[in-house]
Structures are given as structure tokens and as C-alpha cells.
Amino acid sequence: LDPSYITFEFPMKENQEERLEQFEDLVNLSTRMDNFMAVVSLNTCLIFIRAISVMTGLAPEFGIVFNTIFQMRLNLVAFFTMLWIMFFGFTFAFHYLFGTRLKGFSTIMNSFVTCLKMLFRWSNFDTLKDADQELGFTFYIIFNLFFLIVQQILLSIVIYGYRVEKERMAQLLEADRFPLKRVARQFKAALREYSQVFNRCYVSFYQFLFGSSDGGTNRVNYEAVSKLRDRRATRPRWRNVQYERKQEDSVQYDPATDVTLSAARPFYPDGMMQYYVESVKPEGPAEEAHVMPQFRLLSISHQGRPDTKKFRDEKRFAAPLSEEGYGEDPKNILEEAKKNLPVTLFFEGSVKPISLECLMLIVFIVCFIVFSQLIQRTSDSYNLSAATFQAIQSPRWYEYQPTRVLSLADTHSMAGVPNWVEAALLNEVYSCVSEIGSQTDCNTQGLTFEERQDWILFCGANGACDGTTTSPAILTSAAGSGYSMAYVPKTGPGMTVPITQAVRINEYNLGVMPNNLVRLTINVACFEQMPNVKWRPGYPRKIQDPGAEEQCLDSEGQPRDPNNIRGASTQMDYRYVTEGSYQGQGGISIGLGNTRAEAQKVLDLMVRDRLFQENAFRFVFELATYNGNMDLFTYTTVEFNLRPTGKLVTNVYTSVFPLNIFSRGMQSTGGSASTVSMTLCIIYVCLAVWFTGALLWDLYIQFCITTELQHPGYMFVIDFFKEDWWNFVDVISVILNIMTIAGMLSFFLLDAEFSTISSFPWPFKSWTFDTYEISLEANLNTVDEMTKFERAATYYNYFSGVMAVNGLFILTRLIKYFGAVPALRLVMSSLSNAFVELLIITVITVLMFWSVSFMFYTKYGVQYARYGNLPDTWIELFLFLLARFDIDDVMRNDANSGYFTFIFTLYLVMFFLLMNMYLAALVESWKDTRKDAQDFSIVKTYNKLYEAVFDSGKKQHDDWRGQQRKLDKDFWQRCAVLNHLGYLDETGAIRVPPPKDVLRLTNDAARPAEVQEATGINFSEEGADKKFLAIFKKAHMEIASQKCRTVAASRVDRGAGVDLDSEDDPETDRNNMKRDDDDNTAIEIGIIEDPVDKNVAESITRKLLQQLAEDDHPAEEIWLDSLVTVLEEVGTLAKVQSLFLPMPMIYPKKANEWGNFSQKKVKMEKRLDLFLRWLQEETKMKHWSYLKDSATAKERVLKQQSLVLTDYLEHLDEQIEWLQVEIRKLERRNEEMRLHVSPLL
């Protein structure tokens, strides 16, 4: 070890030989330090690579880059062997051919680096062509064409290796793919084990407060999830249809008959089949799940194992049934699913092409673009800032020993600041002072080189700088407040002086400060004694650290007041102030006046007081101008900051802004454009609020979806982004909109005061909007409002910057709605599916990039300014990837070691592989995504958009909004049997008309009179009531007769009167079993509070009509319906529901809370069902009583008819006997006549 550094100290030895020896030791230390930094820089890069490998162990997905390289290591070795052989061949060829004429090929090392730059798209075509007209062009074309082809081979290797690695990762177990999850589960299990005592206490306390939960496990309500997801305009409609074997159901649903599918061939080769829904069976599970025609079947799940590819294989679809294929019939797919019940079919519908959100976003984008273009006025602002830069940065001046021409960019020390001040401020900014309102040439007026008569140079507590007597009011005036030296009005209290002249920059830019056009803020450093004793003899003092408590010293080591500096010549005090300094950061504020002569006088005093050399480390010059033609203000700062390293950093900042952002200047359309800008501003704010509310509503929808899926409620934010990665853009856009509005309000409300007399429509008065004005008079209270211009510029630049970024995200947000177009949706799906992989590659790339940045920064940060800090190093290395190589000086200084050539080559090759990883991930994602591609021809896309725009009134999709029916009292009354009494015939049956007519009557809520008129009976006519009652009585008599005919003969009691043989009666057993089962039967419909779909309501109506038509004697239903209707009308049912209503409870969130809620709801349903049974029994008793009376009446009628018939029969018997006597008489007479006549014959 060399002890030179340990023993070295200041001052150096006086002996010449010893001094040379010490110097040699320092040179040796410098060389060793350089070698040490090279090793440290390389080690830093390796540490980052090691960190990435550790991350790979925790999350294998982070090793996808290195594992891909490992998978194809042999191919990559072969490729790079061939590549480097050919590359060295071109290196030697270029060296021998152009080495004598071009410096870039003069040595083998230079030729190697130049060819490497050419390999990464650095163009030196003109240089090669100038060196050799024929071979230069030929070699350039051959080199680029050859390596362009060779790079495609590398790309193919990377893509294939990426695919192999993805397949390998897919075969890993979940524990191997996600070891962090395994560790998290183990930690959670351990935590749960050690916290059992606390958990039991918590459960007991929870049960004590809220009661125990007796609910069971809840099933996922996929219908509710589908409804919630359908509210999103950017997502396709998803449906889950479950088919199960239920022993208690009399109807078994068959997927093959419930849904009819049609097949479509893959759009791309090696793609998957598309199965579209052609029709859906009414009242089936698919219809209840709202599956519509043109939905796609994407997945078939059996016992939680989804199949998304096997049944969509084109070869299997074409194979015959004997070979486990589908015989090109999609029905066989559902037949196969039927054999594996329970099964879940997953369908997907299309995205809405046109939606309210999309239209609102388009309007929002148009409004934002027009509004931003109107208020930004970029072209005008650029021209004004260019004019200011011309006055600030363009001036040149001579410096001697040696003679040279310098500019602002060449100012590297504080000693050069006065030269810039004279060349830029005095000769350019103050070059023209003219009378206000006069267009006369400045040179003819002579005001530039004169001081104003009504202003005096004020030096704070010292009074006038020239020693003249001043008024005491000037010492405490607001005009001089905060300044250590500045020009203030020379007047007394309550008096004013006219402002007759102003500085003009580039003819049309007017200085707006009444007293001092330029404000200068000076910061002076404090020093302290060097703490290291070894260096103190040669370096006795150093700059004091901020916030240090040591005594403040000047550069000579003398104590000084940090808040006050005494001038070396004038002996006046320069005070340190905060208010009135640049950005309120503190310093010595000096005003330079409003003419060149005034500025020259102030600068002369500063030079005499040695302010430019007296420990000052920062100068900030500020000025503000106004251009009346454009109605724009320009605020400019020029900062000279001397860093502790001795480097002088120069920064010029210009901000152009209007105080009224709606102003358009003196243009002919200024008034109308201002009105348009103001209107668009209001619209923009309203739309931003609307989109903020839409995002919150979307988050609420996601919360409902998360809870419906039985996930923890706090996971809804994560689920929100997992469902659609584009939601990140939405959130960022909304945040940027809020920041834009906040920035705009900050600019609007600068020093605002709310007032009722402010200009419409703004209910406030602010400095930017109302208060500030250019005055032509000044007094002791007239201040230079440079601080407010600085604040206004800061707010306006913040507003403009956020608006610029916001415009990017607003336009990017529109991509989210491209899912309606299949071609664009394919691109979006490819990006979304590759998002995680791209994110991982980006993380690895950034880590590798920072590792190389640390390496360059550590090794070359001391020598080169562009590597002097990490951000600059990062930018420089990023420019390498864009073929911008600024490495000539590094190559020249590093010609012997070759270290830079090594790390430069390593960097380019490594990041060329990383960049290809992005393409490999996208290609792999595109390959998988395009298998599911649909037909996205231009004609089909046009037809879809046309239908969405012009056929929006037709029923193109299932939409719950506006198509829901509430199953309330009115609905059930419209479905009641009372509406069909007119169809009652004398047999006791109700002959309903065709279903369409009845549906029309029930859905339109027709009046009872209209119903009866449609059936042929109108109760408004006279005698209609008697007619209906006669039919009603005859019907009940007929029912009673039929009941009597079906009464079974009394069974002989063989059990001595105790019915011991009742077990032999199977009918009695069935009735008893049914009665016992009724108590445990689940409620078929239950309590339905939410509106249901129109199809569901119509299905209920159809079922009721079908049951009514199938019932031969619905008379009992008439009695029950009448009783329920009366109880509804008088409010009895509502009171019963209120009576059985459970106690209020907190809205359930957890699964057990929902189970508790469900149990309470079921209990209420059972109680209401018991009340209904009571009503049924009461109506049954009344019905049978009426039947009894009808039977008695008919019996009485039959007896009377029997008596009449008996009398009639007796009368007939008498008539028969009389007729028989008469017949006998006639026969006897006839016989007598024959006896007399027969002899004659």
C-alpha cells in the first residue's frame, strides 16, 4: 500500500526534489484511483445483475429475459461467433480502405468502434462517399444490408427462445411459479396460528355486538355480475350459463336444445373456431342469463376446469364422431357437454360500437383541443420568447489575453458576469427608452442615456445613494421596500409623479415596471474554517453548509453579519431580505432602474463595492415586458449559480403568458374567440367533473362486482385494474384533469378577493383578471410587482405543462373504446395480454440501464460533464440507443486501455437483446391473440357502425335499462284471474283468448271495462251483472254436480271405529306426506324487490295464462283473487308485510352477513307464505260453502223438477189409457164394417 495519501498535507515541501516526489506520488494516486473507479464501476454493474438474479429466485417471471437467453445459448453462441467473424472482416476492410483518409478508421480500435456504431444505425454515408466516390457507397450499402439480414436471424432466435421459455413456465406448478405467494401463505398461516386467542376474542365481541351468523355459503350470482358489467361501454358482455342435475326439478335443461350454435372457420391459419349463438330456447337457462344471438361460446367449464381451446380446435371440429370429433356440427359440442353435467358455458357478446361515454369523450377531446389551442397561442408565445432570447443570449463581447469573442454560453466564472451585463442588459435590453405613446426613433430622443428627473437612487437606510437629503417618507416607502438599492419616485406623501417613458425591447415589447425594469437578487456565501487540519494551511476556509450554526466568515476569514454586507467602496449596507427576492428564497435585492444611464450607475456602484467578487455565488436577473399587439406578458430570468465545485451554471428561463387567458390580443377575431374560449372553458370543466363522476361510478360498479364474486371488498381497486389495464389511463387522465383545473384556478385566483361587483360571470376580483393595470402615475406606494409576475408565470407554466400531459392521456384514453372494432380490438388485446411481460421486461431493462449508468457515472463522471450526474448519464446512454454517439473525446483519452471500447460494446449488445425481448413478447402475444380473431373486414365493420348509428332504436342487444318491469301490486293485479271473468262459461272453465291478446291487455294495463268489452260482456250495459251472475251460479252448480259424481263410496271401517286400517289407504298416506313436506318446501318465487327483465315478466304472465287454461275449474282461484285484491286495496297486505319485516340492520358486506340477511329474508317469506295459506283456507271454506249452497239449490230444483215430471208422467199415463180405449173402439168398428162388406167382395 502506498502511504502517500495518508502522509500528504499542505503546504507542499519547499525542497524542489521533495516537491517533485510528492507530485509524482499524487500522479500515481490519480492513476490508481482511475483503475479503482474502473473496477468499482464494473462491480456496480455486476451487483445490479446479481440483484436481478435474486429477484428471479423470488419471482421466476423476472427471469424470463435471462432464461430466454439460457434456452437458446447454443444458438446464440453460434450466431455471435458468425457475427463477430463477419464484423471483424468488415472492420479490417474499412480500416485498410478508408484508414488513410478518415480518422474513424485510422486505427483498428477506431475502425471497430465506428463499425459498431454503423451496426446500430449510425449514419456516416456522406463521410464515406466523400472519402471514396465508388467504394464508399458500395461498402456502406453492403454493410447495412448484410447486417440487417443477420439481425433478423437473431430476432428469430430470441422469439423462438421466448416461446420455449413461456411453455416451460406454463408447465410449472403454481408454487414454483409464484414462490412469493407460497411464502405469504406460510406467513399468513403462522400469523393466524399465533393470533388465535385474539381472533376468538374478536369473534366473541363481534357476536356480542351484531349477533351470530347462521347463514350458509352464498353462491355467486352471475346474473347480477353480468348486469353490472354490462353497464360498462368498453367491455364485452359476458354470460355464465350453468347446467346442473337437479332431482327435485321436473324439467331437465339440455344445453343442446337450450342453445343453437353456428360455426365459423378461423380468420387466421392455425386459429380457433368461432361458435355463434343463432337462437335461444324461451324460458331456458340461457334466456334467463340473457344470452342473445351473435354471442360467442368461448369456454366450457366442468368441475372448475375451463376448456377454452380443445373444443375450438378446427381439426377436431372437422373430425367425425367416431374419432372423438364433432362432425362439423356445433350441436355435438353441446351434446358432449351434456354428458358431463354440471357444466358452465361462458358466452361473450360484442362491445357497443357507439355509447354515451364514447360520444362524451369525443366531445371532450374536441373541446379540450380547441380550448388549449385558443388559450396557449403557442406560435405567438414562441415568437415573443425568441425575441427575448435574442436580446439575452445573442450578444457577443471581446475579452483579451488572449483575445476571444465570448457569449453567455462561454461565461464560466463570476468575473465574466459584468461583461454579459454590459453586453446584454445595457446594450440590448436598455438600448431603447422612449416616451410612452411615441413612435419616434429611440436614438433621436436621447432618453436612453439620461436619468429620470422624478426618480432617485434609493439605498435603503442610507437614504439617497448620492448623499443628497431625502424625505423621511422615502425611507419607509413601499416603493423601496425590500430593495437594498433601487430607483424610487422622488416625491412626498400623497403626491404623484407622471410616468412618461418606458423601455422598449425589440420595438414592441414594453417594460411594465414603473420604477425598475430589472430586479437583481444576489446571494453571498458564508465561509467557515476548514475542519481538516491537514488541508487547512493550503485551504484555510470552505463554504459553510446550509443551516450550519458556526459563525459566518467572509473569504478573508473575517466575521460578518450573514444578513448584511457592507460595500467595499460606498460603505453602505446591502440587506438580506426574503420578501422581494427571487422566488422568496432570500438574498440582496437591487433594482437597475428604467434607463441605460440608471442601470449603468447601479452597476458601477456594485463593481466599486465588489459585489461581483465579494463571495457572491448566485446572481438572478428578472425582467417583465408586455406586448400590446399580442396582449402577452413575458417574464424572463437569467441565473448565474456558482456551485461549490467551482462550476458556473447558467440558466435562462422565459415564460410568455396572458393575464387574461381568454384574450386573443389585437386580432380581428379577438372578441369572438375570447367568448368561444370562455365557453369552452366552462364546458371543459363540466365534462371533467362528469368524467370524474363516471370514474367514481365505475369504481362503485367494480365494488359491487367484487362483492358479488364473494371477494373481499377492499380488493375492488385491484380488481378494477385487473379487469382492464386501460383503467390506469382513465385514472391518470382524471387526476391530470383535476390538476389542470387546479392550475387554471391558481392562475385565475392570484391574490383573489370574492366580490359582487366583479365582471360577469366570475364572482371574484383577482390580480391576473382585474386588479393589475399599467399606470401612468407613480407615488411612494407604487411598487414593482415583479414577485406577482413571477408567481403568475409559475402558475401558468404549471397549468400549461399539466395541460400538455393531460392532452396525451385524453387522446390515449380514446383507444379504450376501440374494442367495438374487431381489428382494433385485436391490437388492444395483444397489448393487454402482453402487459405483464412488457412490464417485467421494462423493469429488468431499467435496472440494467441504471447499472450501466452507474458504471459510466462512476468511471467518467469526473472527466466529462455529460456524465457528471446520474440523470445526464442516463440521457447520454439513452441517446446511444438512438444512434447518437458523442464518444470521440472518450475514445481519444482511453485509447490505450480499451476499457471504454469493452463496456461500450457490451452495453450495445446487451440492450440490443433486451430491445428484441419487447418484440418477442409482442409477437408471442399476437400469435396467441390472433387465434381468437374474428372477421374484421371493412364491410362488416362498416355495417356494424352503420347499425349502431342509424338503427339504434332497434333491439340489437340485451339492455336492462328501460326494459325492466317491477313486479308490484299493479303487475299482479293485471295478471289476476279477475281480468278474465268474461271468459267464464257455464261449465266452470275460463276460455282465454290467444296469448298475444292477453299479453297486450296485461302489459298495457287495460281497464277492466276494456277487458270485459274484449270478451263480449260489458258491465256498463244494463243487465250485464245479472247475466254474469247467472253464468257464475250455473258454473258453480255444474262444478257441484261434477264433484258429486266423483265422490267415492264410503269406505267400510273395519277397525272398530278407530280407523286402524288407515295404513292400507295409499291416497291418505300421500296427502299426509304432502302436508308434511309443505312445511319444508322452499319458496318458489320469494320476495322480489328489484325490477326484472321484460322477458322474465312476460314469461311469468305466459305461465299464469297456461295454468289458467289448463285448469278445468278455476273457481276457487276467483275467490282467492278477489280476497287478495280487496286486502291490497285497503292496505291490509302492506300492514302484514310491515308486521313481518325484520329489524333494521347494517348493509351486509361479508359472506356471513349476507347469509344472516338471507335467513331473515327466508323467514319473512315463510311467514308471508303462511298468511297466504290462511287466505287460501279461508277462500277454500267460502268456495266449498258456496258449492254446498249451489248443490242444495240444485237439489231443490231437481226435486221440484222430479215432482213436475211425476205429475206429467201420470197425466201421460191417463192419456195413454184413454187413447188405448179409443183405439180399441176404432178397431171394433173397423171389424164390424169388414164383416158387412166382405160378402159383397
Side-chain angles (χ1 to χ4, degrees), residues 595-635:
T595 68
R596 189 182 190 282
E598 293 174 353
Q600 184 68 62
K601 183 176 181 179
V602 172
L603 292 173
D604 289 343
L605 291 175
M606 292 175 60
V607 171
R608 288 168 53 192
D609 286 336
R610 300 180 60 188
L611 291 183
F612 288 102
Q613 293 87 18
E614 192 70 25
N615 311 326
F617 68 89
R618 189 173 74 159
F619 292 89
V620 181
F621 297 87
E622 303 172 79
L623 69 147
T625 60
Y626 173 69
N627 188 296
N629 298 321
M630 299 291 105
D631 192 21
L632 291 173
F633 289 84
T634 303
Y635 171 77

Side-chain angles (χ1 to χ4, degrees), residues 255-411:
T257 59
D258 191 41
V259 179
T260 304
L261 299 177
S262 63
R265 296 290 180 179
F267 187 77
Y268 284 104
D270 299 330
M272 294 186 292
M273 294 291 298
Q274 303 290 345
Y275 301 112
Y276 295 96
V277 177
E278 280 191 345
S279 62
V280 179
K281 181 180 179 181
E283 304 178 14
E287 185 189 47
E288 293 179 357
H290 308 286
V291 176
M292 304 294 291
Q294 298 305 315
F295 274 45
R296 289 194 303 159
L297 177 61
L298 295 184
S299 173
I300 301 177
S301 299
H302 173 63
Q303 295 182 351
R305 296 189 297 271
D307 174 21
T308 59
K309 297 181 179 180
K310 185 177 179 181
F311 77 98
R312 300 179 65 185
D313 183 34
E314 185 179 12
K315 295 181 179 179
R316 186 177 184 187
F317 178 76
L321 295 176
S322 59
E323 298 179 6
E324 297 184 354
Y326 300 125
E328 297 189 351
D329 186 0
K331 184 177 180 180
N332 295 326
I333 299 174
L334 301 179
E335 291 288 353
E336 183 184 49
K338 177 184 175 181
K339 302 176 183 178
N340 299 318
L341 295 181
V343 69
T344 301
L345 305 183
F346 178 73
F347 296 91
E348 181 188 77
S350 59
V351 184
K352 300 177 184 177
I354 303 296
S355 62
L356 175 62
E357 293 181 17
C358 182
L359 295 176
M360 291 289 287
L361 181 61
I362 293 175
V363 174
F364 187 50
I365 290 174
V366 173
C367 174
F368 177 83
I369 292 176
V370 176
F371 171 62
S372 60
Q373 288 296 317
L374 288 176
I375 66 172
Q376 287 291 334
R377 302 170 60 184
T378 307
S379 298
D380 297 339
S381 300
Y382 169 76
N383 293 329
L384 283 177
S385 62
T388 304
F389 272 113
Q390 182 180 359
I392 297 298
Q393 292 186 313
S394 297
R396 300 284 193 272
W397 65 89
Y398 285 100
E399 286 193 7
Y400 302 96
Q401 295 180 0
T403 302
R404 58 198 184 277
V405 179
L406 301 180
S407 64
L408 178 64
D410 302 318
T411 304

